């Protein structure tokens, strides 16, 4: 590390490429489309120089007792697992810098809606990432309204998380 870089870090300053932002990685993993989008988005943020992936919150990596509901569907009837997993995700939303939602227009996810609502109530910036092939397709009115910014999946690896902004989605709502 250069002397200048150390001074900038000590004073809390930012410099280009610094991994300063943590995200709540909000994405489904229950269908083939969701799994593909999940993997594409995860790969992109790992390449992104402005995301601190190591200290971000990825719900799939924080399932209670390490048990994934997609591998153990019986957990949906286990109150302890359900309560602990929900509360872990709630804590995750509250402790990150912004929420990144990987959104597939034709596959609404109620859980994502709750996470979006939590993030909004806590004043977190909400970035919605839509796969390029789905860009412009109609999305849910509430998801459209709660988001601060929309980008295509192909923009995610180079998106500057240190410069959040507002924009409109280039598509209709339903």
């Amino acid at each position: 590390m250069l002397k200048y870089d150390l001074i900038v870090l000590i004073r809390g300053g930012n410099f280009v490429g610094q991994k300063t932002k943590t995200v709540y990685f909000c994405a489904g993993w229950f269908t083939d489309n969701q799994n593909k989008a999940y993997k594409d988005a995860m790969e992109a943020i790992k390449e992104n120089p402005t995301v601190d992936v190591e200290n971000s919150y990825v719900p799939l990596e924080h399932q209670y007792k390490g048990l994934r509901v997609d591998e153990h569907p019986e957990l949906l009837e286990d109150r302890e697992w359900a309560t602990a997993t929900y509360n872990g995700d709630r804590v995750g939303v509250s402790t990150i810098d912004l929420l990144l939602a990987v959104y597939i227009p034709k596959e609404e996810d109620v859980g994502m809606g709750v996470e979006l609502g939590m993030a909004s109530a806590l004043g977190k910036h909400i970035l919605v990432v839509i796969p390029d092939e789905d860009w412009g397709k109609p999305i849910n009115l509430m998801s459209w309204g709660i988001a601060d910014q929309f980008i295509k999946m192909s923009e995610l690896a180079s998106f500057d998380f240190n410069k959040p902004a507002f924009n409109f989605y280039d598509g209709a709502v339903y």
Side-chain angles (χ1 to χ4, degrees):
M1 180 175 290
L2 300 174
K3 182 177 176 183
Y4 173 76
D5 294 340
L6 184 57
I7 292 168
V8 170
L9 287 173
I10 290 170
R11 292 186 180 157
N14 293 334
F15 57 92
V16 176
Q18 184 178 1
K19 293 185 178 191
T20 59
K21 297 299 178 191
T22 57
V23 300
Y24 181 94
F25 189 78
C26 181
W29 59 83
F30 299 102
T31 69
D32 290 343
N33 285 339
Q34 290 174 348
N35 273 314
K36 181 184 181 320
Y38 183 104
K39 288 175 185 172
D40 290 348
M42 184 57 71
E43 202 172 284
I45 65 168
K46 285 179 178 176
E47 292 176 23
N48 189 303
T50 62
V51 178
D52 181 356
V53 177
E54 182 179 335
N55 293 302
S56 291
Y57 191 91
V58 180
L60 190 54
E61 296 172 3
H62 290 86
Q63 301 291 287
Y64 184 61
K65 294 184 177 179
L67 299 171
R68 291 174 41 159
V69 71
D70 57 334
E71 296 170 352
H72 299 279
E74 69 276 7
L75 291 172
L76 293 173
E77 297 183 30
D78 182 321
R79 287 183 181 181
E80 178 184 349
W81 180 89
T83 301
T85 297
Y86 167 82
N87 281 303
D89 290 354
R90 182 184 51 76
V91 169
V93 171
S94 69
T95 58
I96 49 76
D97 295 316
L98 59 96
L99 184 133
L100 182 162
V102 180
Y103 186 95
I104 299 174
K106 292 193 177 200
E107 296 186 23
E108 277 294 310
D109 182 344
V110 173
M112 179 179 287
V114 172
E115 292 161 329
L116 289 168
M118 280 190 232
S120 179
L122 293 168
K124 306 290 182 173
H125 183 81
I126 298 172
L127 174 68
V128 174
V129 178
I130 298 177
D132 290 30
E133 62 272 15
D134 292 322
W135 187 260
K137 292 180 181 175
I139 65 172
N140 181 281
L141 171 65
M142 296 303 178
S143 298
W144 173 84
I146 206 164
D148 296 302
Q149 197 166 6
F150 294 88
I151 64 170
K152 294 177 183 177
M153 184 74 74
S154 60
E155 300 170 310
L156 185 55
S158 62
F159 179 79
D160 189 347
F161 281 83
N162 293 313
K163 297 180 181 177
F166 174 83
N167 71 353
F168 285 105
Y169 175 59
D170 293 331
V173 298
Y174 61 86

